[in-house]
């Protein structure tokens, strides 16, 4: 496949672009920053929140090549104000989805987040596991923007027939770094497996999965991922003896969003000054 990867210079993007190329896909990078030294694949430097700039990228690419899919990884990874979060996550997705409709690019894979449901208490989860048929329950403005983007994807799937897959990613790191991470870790290799499954699963329509490895202590349902062909192979348990214990471990386990669900919020939502 020929795939446009946004946020290609970011922590997930660097791993996914290499991984997809290793698996035989052609990758085009898109980021606000120039391509990292040494990268040798096509690259566009533009802000995905700028719909004109995104349209220009699609015009330039589609004039010369086909494009099969977009993997949208760009976005600020932490909490910001509500307008900033919506711009970083939802406005960028809208610009890409509009360009896809214009150019008949039909597959959209999105780095959503566990924080779309992060304020869900873990106590009382059936079998200790949270499924995808649950209420949107963000833990932050970051989570609100992820929920809004998932809703936008649903709209474009229903209205324009796009195939869209929201990856509710846990903790994407080379190795788990905390007790919470023993439940929420997504290994780099599993992350690439997950993105490739979302790109190639036949006709998903609108689909959501939890982007985590096969962690013994996992608290998100892996079945939606299995249904899309995502078979994680790694397990954070291999690090169980090594991750540092912290004073906040018990508190961080209260909600599936961990620290995001506990941190003080930016309020008011809108700056009135
Ligand atoms: C996310 O979605 C964040 O982007 C990242 O910074 C981590 O907090 C991660 O979730 C997590 O929950 O560990």
């Amino acid at each position: 496949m020929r795939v446009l990867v946004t946020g290609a210079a970011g922590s997930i993007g660097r791993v996914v672009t290499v991984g997809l190329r290793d698996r035989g896909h052609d990758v085009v990078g898109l980021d606000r920053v120039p391509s990292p030294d040494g990268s040798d694949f096509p690259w566009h430097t533009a802000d995905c929140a700028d719909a004109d700039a995104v349209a220009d990228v699609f015009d330039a690419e589609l004039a010369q090549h086909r494009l099969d899919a977009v993997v949208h990884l760009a976005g600020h990874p932490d909490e910001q104000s509500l307008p900033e979060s919506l711009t970083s996550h939802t406005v960028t997705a809208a610009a890409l989805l509009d360009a896809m409709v214009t150019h008949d690019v039909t597959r959209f894979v999105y780095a959503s987040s566990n924080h779309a449901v992060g304020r869900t208490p873990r106590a009382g989860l059936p079998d200790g596991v949270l499924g995808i048929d649950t209420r949107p329950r963000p833990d932050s403005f970051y989570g609100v923007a992820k929920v809004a983007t998932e809703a936008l994807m649903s709209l474009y799937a229903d209205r324009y027939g796009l195939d869209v897959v929201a990856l509710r990613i846990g903790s994407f790191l080379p190795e788990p770094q905390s007790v919470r991470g023993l439940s929420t870790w997504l290994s780099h290799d599993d992350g690439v497996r997950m993105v490739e499954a979302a790109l190639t699963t036949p006709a998903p329509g609108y689909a959501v999965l939890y982007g985590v490895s096969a962690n013994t202590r996992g608290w998100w349902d892996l079945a939606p991922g299995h249904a899309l062909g995502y078979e994680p192979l790694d397990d954070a348990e291999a690090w169980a003896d090594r991750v540092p214990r912290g004073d906040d471990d018990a508190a961080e386990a209260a909600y599936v969003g961990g620290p995001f669900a506990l941190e003080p919020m930016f309020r008011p939502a809108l700056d009135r000054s």
Side-chain angles (χ1 to χ4, degrees):
M1 296 179 88
R2 193 158 193 278
V3 185
L4 179 70
V5 178
T6 77
S11 58
I12 302 181
R14 287 181 188 230
V15 174
V16 165
T17 50
V18 171
L20 289 179
R21 294 184 78 211
D22 285 349
R23 287 163 174 258
H25 300 284
D26 293 323
V27 169
V28 181
L30 170 58
D31 206 299
R32 290 193 298 190
V33 300
S35 60
D37 286 347
S39 64
D40 59 347
F41 54 92
W43 192 274
H44 297 270
T45 304
D47 185 345
C48 293
D50 179 342
D52 290 331
V54 170
D56 288 347
V57 169
F58 275 70
D59 288 344
E61 274 302 316
L62 274 295
Q64 297 187 39
H65 309 280
R66 71 170 208 286
L67 193 60
D68 301 307
V70 173
V71 176
H72 184 28
L73 307 175
H76 189 80
D78 286 309
E79 181 70 327
Q80 295 179 291
S81 72
L82 180 63
E84 287 169 330
S85 293
L86 291 171
T87 300
S88 182
H89 306 291
T90 314
V91 170
T92 57
L96 291 160
L97 290 163
D98 275 340
M100 290 174 63
V101 172
T102 300
H103 290 279
D104 200 25
V105 179
T106 57
R107 179 71 58 121
F108 185 75
V109 174
Y110 177 57
S112 186
S113 169
N114 71 88
H115 300 291
V117 290
R119 191 70 188 189
T120 309
R122 285 190 50 237
L125 289 179
D127 299 323
V129 172
L130 182 64
I132 53 167
D133 295 325
T134 188
R135 149 191 162 195
R137 205 159 182 179
D139 53 23
S140 52
F141 292 141
Y142 174 83
V144 168
K146 294 299 187 185
V147 170
T149 309
E150 290 186 3
L152 187 73
M153 292 165 61
S154 174
L155 178 69
Y156 275 64
D158 287 342
R159 290 278 184 168
Y160 299 109
L162 299 190
D163 283 313
V164 300
V165 183
L167 315 169
R168 289 184 181 162
I169 297 173
S171 306
F172 184 79
L173 295 165
E175 55 190 63
Q177 294 182 346
S178 65
V179 170
R180 176 174 183 264
L182 297 177
S183 302
T184 65
W185 185 52
L186 173 63
S187 74
H188 283 185
D189 287 347
D190 282 340
V192 174
R193 289 183 190 104
M194 171 188 71
V195 170
E196 190 182 41
L199 284 169
T200 56
T201 192
Y206 172 79
V208 177
L209 63 77
Y210 286 110
V212 283
S213 288
N215 302 321
T216 300
R217 305 184 197 196
W219 57 51
W220 290 299
D221 190 2
L222 292 174
H226 292 321
L228 298 171
Y230 168 49
E231 301 294 343
L233 297 180
D234 295 319
D235 184 343
E237 206 59 21
W239 279 264
D241 295 338
R242 279 174 277 163
V243 297
R245 269 52 188 172
D247 294 341
D248 296 333
D249 289 345
E252 287 192 359
Y255 298 94
V256 301
F260 273 49
L262 302 174
E263 282 167 9
M265 283 189 55
F266 278 87
R267 279 203 65 247
L270 301 176
D271 184 359
R272 299 174 61 199
S273 59

